[in-house]
Amino acid sequence: MSTRTLEVTRPFPASLSGHRTGCSKLSVFCLAMNEVSYYGLPLLLMKVPNVAKAAVGRSAAEARSRLAGEDFDVAVIPLTMLPEVLDGGPRRNRPRILALVREQGEIVSRLAWRHGVAGCLLWDEINVASLARTFDRLIRGDVPTTAHRPDTHLDGKLTQRERFVLTLLLRGMSNHQIGRAMGISVHGVKRHVSNLLVKFNCSNRTEVALVAQRLGLDSAPPKAM
């Protein structure tokens, strides 16, 4: 397995499992967003004073395996990987989950809330000082950035055609198939998908489908066009 584990030469107390407070050091698992972060995070975490032990993985399978077999106080998981990691089976304990996000926003808060995360970490603000502050708040029993209960009215912000496109997208249809089903051009489909990307604050159609499923927007059939 390619997970990287680092042992920091500092006293390591008993686990914070069950959100126990009073410890001065944490055991941390991070799921890297890319190859650069996979090799860079261990070096960064070694410098964080309140981290006693850390492991870094680069796949959801590795994350599930480590969380199922080892005790970690904190697990830092990229937002879009939350369902694959946290819905993939039992975990040995219940570590505090921090969602790693590229930008904070309404959709981020919704998805994070649905998975019961303790807070969110902005990727652009990942450094020794910010991690130390975040982990210190967890040690004190506080949370970093609160994942607010979501506004459930996103569906009402979609047009009828966008809702139809979203439903067909969730069925795994390509742009050409959606166009034929709706009787519109592929360019028209791309325009509706682009609008969905903006409204869902996502970078691709896979993320749109993920967020829509987690918000329960895939449960209702599309209205007739």
Side-chain angles (χ1 to χ4, degrees):
M1 184 162 49
S2 58
T3 306
R4 307 184 72 192
T5 302
L6 61 96
E7 297 286 347
V8 186
T9 55
R10 292 190 284 269
F12 180 51
S15 174
L16 247 177
S17 303
H19 309 329
R20 181 177 63 80
T21 59
C23 292
S24 59
K25 310 289 184 182
L26 298 175
S27 174
V28 180
F29 175 84
C30 291
L31 178 56
M33 298 183 75
N34 48 45
E35 286 294 301
V36 174
S37 61
Y38 175 70
Y39 289 103
L41 279 172
L43 299 176
L44 178 66
L45 290 167
M46 287 179 65
K47 300 178 182 179
V48 180
N50 43 17
V51 172
K53 176 184 177 181
V56 179
R58 55 177 155 190
S59 74
E62 290 180 14
R64 290 195 302 270
S65 176
R66 295 300 292 262
L67 295 178
E70 300 179 43
D71 288 329
F72 290 99
D73 302 319
V74 181
V76 182
I77 309 295
L79 178 75
T80 56
M81 299 295 288
L82 285 175
E84 191 174 355
V85 173
L86 302 184
D87 296 343
R91 298 187 294 281
R92 182 169 177 172
N93 65 356
R94 300 291 295 183
R96 290 287 187 102
I97 304 296
L98 298 177
L100 187 57
V101 301
R102 293 198 178 277
E103 61 180 288
Q104 181 65 283
E106 187 176 279
I107 299 301
V108 167
S109 294
R110 285 196 189 92
L111 186 55
W113 175 80
R114 287 183 68 87
H115 286 86
V117 304
C120 297
L121 289 172
L122 290 174
W123 174 250
D124 290 339
E125 297 179 3
I126 295 295
N127 54 55
V128 173
S130 67
L131 287 175
R133 288 194 300 269
T134 297
F135 294 153
D136 183 59
R137 294 186 67 179
L138 288 176
I139 289 170
R140 298 198 313 266
D142 200 353
V143 296
T145 304
T146 304
H148 300 287
R149 185 181 180 90
D151 171 14
T152 57
H153 301 297
L154 180 64
D155 191 26
K157 298 177 182 178
L158 304 180
T159 67
Q160 184 177 353
R161 282 184 174 267
E162 289 168 354
R163 186 68 178 86
F164 199 94
V165 169
L166 175 62
T167 303
L168 299 183
L169 185 151
L170 287 166
R171 293 177 181 174
M173 290 189 178
S174 66
N175 287 347
H176 287 281
Q177 292 172 322
I178 294 174
R180 286 196 295 270
M182 297 181 63
I184 61 177
S185 69
V186 173
H187 292 295
V189 175
K190 290 181 177 179
R191 184 175 65 254
H192 292 309
V193 171
S194 178
N195 290 339
L196 290 172
L197 293 178
V198 172
K199 292 185 178 182
F200 278 76
N201 191 26
C202 294
S203 59
N204 56 60
R205 55 193 286 146
T206 300
E207 289 184 15
V208 168
L210 173 65
V211 174
Q213 289 171 341
R214 293 300 150 188
L215 294 178
L217 300 182
D218 59 334
S219 58
K223 297 178 181 180
M225 297 299 297

